[in-house]
Amino acid sequence: MTDASSLTPLDPDAAAPAGTQTLMRGLAVVQAVADGARDLKELCARIGVARSTTHRLASCLVQERYLRVLPGVGYVLGPKLIELGFQAREAFPLATLARPYLDGLAELTGDTIHLAVRDNDEVLYLEKIPGKKGLEMRSRVGHRMPLAATGVGKALLLDADEPQWKALHRVGGPVSSRAPGGQQGWEAFRERMRGYAAQGYAFDLEDNEPSIRCVAAPVRDASSGIVAAISVSSTVPYMSLERMDEMVPAVRDAAMRISAELGWIIPAAASARPGRPAAS
């Protein structure tokens, strides 16, 4: 049970310690609470500072609303951090945050790079970096395409349920039958989506535009929800099925790096994966 006396903030008029070391310790307290520390004893153990100093730091953070104290729970992150998080997100639009990683992926692959978000039943393209191989695609910034027919659209739908997949397939599914097996009906689409959802990426196998293939991956924010997707696209001569498989790690890596910029915590298993290519 949490020691209530250890959570009571000091006198608001009490002066906080000064200096860079104090700043770093205060940030360490916030991080410790974010990692699950709930009482003073646990905070002291996490940051390695004396109880009195830790108490004073935590009290100042509560006073300034960076932390709060919940009865029966202990220290939790405070409303000031929520406010700052939204301000930080608004200050750096998604396309701005993503651009360095998109540029890195473009340099790595030489292919066309897209960044897109969901807009109702469609994909809305926010960014496009043309490839270096002289081919043109009809996509452009501000352009919309059906979710179910595009690689980025499928990546945006990886967390959706099957009824939603079916509804979107019905209104704007793949317009061709160029995927392996030549079938683009609902059952074939569902099986492909099940595989993509399990693997965390999606392909466009000429579903939307003749001779165009792409590898796509979702971008997540701090809530772990999918908020965008990126893709690498090229024509069939440059994008064999073997090359598509080889490019998956790089595309997923770039998507995870953008996700980290949005506050998503990369799972340990993903970050520890050997041989993950850098996208920047």
Side-chain angles (χ1 to χ4, degrees), residues 51 72 127 220 230 250:
R51 181 185 179 92
E127 190 67 90
R220 301 179 182 273
I230 64 171

Side-chain angles (χ1 to χ4, degrees), residues 13 30 32 58 60 65 84 89 94 99 103 109 116 126 182 184 186 195-196 211 213 217 227 252 257 280:
D13 294 328
V30 172
C60 290
R65 301 170 57 244
L84 292 176
R89 182 169 178 175
L94 175 59
R99 185 66 195 223
D103 286 339
T109 66
L126 299 184
Q184 290 292 303
W186 157 241
Y196 297 152
S211 300
R213 291 175 176 173
V227 296
R252 292 190 66 192
R257 290 172 184 267
S280 60

Side-chain angles (χ1 to χ4, degrees), residues 175-213:
V175 296
S176 71
S177 57
R178 297 178 179 84
Q183 296 180 348
Q184 290 292 303
W186 157 241
E187 291 78 11
F189 179 79
R190 179 184 59 193
E191 290 309 306
R192 288 175 63 189
M193 287 301 299
R194 285 175 174 175
Y196 297 152
Q199 296 162 342
Y201 62 86
F203 286 167
D204 177 348
L205 297 165
E206 303 178 74
D207 301 328
N208 182 57
E209 193 170 352
S211 300
I212 300 297
R213 291 175 176 173

Side-chain angles (χ1 to χ4, degrees), residues 75-254:
Y75 291 111
V76 296
L77 299 180
K80 188 66 174 179
L81 292 173
I82 299 174
E83 296 168 14
L84 292 176
F86 277 107
Q87 290 176 22
R89 182 169 178 175
E90 291 300 316
F92 293 96
L94 175 59
T96 302
L97 287 173
R99 185 66 195 223
Y101 305 101
L102 302 180
D103 286 339
L105 202 53
E107 184 66 26
L108 180 69
T109 66
D111 298 311
T112 298
I113 310 298
H114 293 112
L115 169 70
V117 295
R118 181 174 181 174
D119 186 15
N120 296 316
D121 293 347
E122 297 177 310
V123 164
L124 172 63
Y125 289 93
L126 299 184
E127 190 67 90
K128 177 181 179 179
I129 303 176
K132 302 176 181 178
K133 297 168 183 174
L135 59 98
E136 277 295 326
M137 300 179 191
R138 57 180 175 173
S139 60
R140 64 182 185 278
V141 174
H143 189 50
R144 288 174 169 81
M145 291 185 183
L147 277 165
T150 59
V152 283
K154 295 183 188 75
L156 286 164
L157 293 174
L158 294 186
D159 289 351
D161 56 27
E162 291 192 11
Q164 187 172 176
W165 290 347
K166 188 172 186 178
L168 291 168
H169 176 269
R170 185 182 300 119
V171 300
V175 296
S176 71
S177 57
R178 297 178 179 84
Q183 296 180 348
Q184 290 292 303
W186 157 241
E187 291 78 11
F189 179 79
R190 179 184 59 193
E191 290 309 306
R192 288 175 63 189
M193 287 301 299
R194 285 175 174 175
Y196 297 152
Q199 296 162 342
Y201 62 86
F203 286 167
D204 177 348
L205 297 165
E206 303 178 74
D207 301 328
N208 182 57
E209 193 170 352
S211 300
I212 300 297
R213 291 175 176 173
C214 79
V215 180
V219 172
R220 301 179 182 273
D221 65 6
S223 72
S224 294
I226 295 175
V227 296
I230 64 171
S231 69
V232 175
S233 305
S234 193
T235 57
V236 171
Y238 297 106
M239 192 68 82
S240 66
L241 296 177
E242 292 76 15
R243 183 167 183 252
M244 292 179 77
D245 288 335
E246 292 170 358
M247 290 180 61
V248 167
V251 178
R252 292 190 66 192
D253 183 79

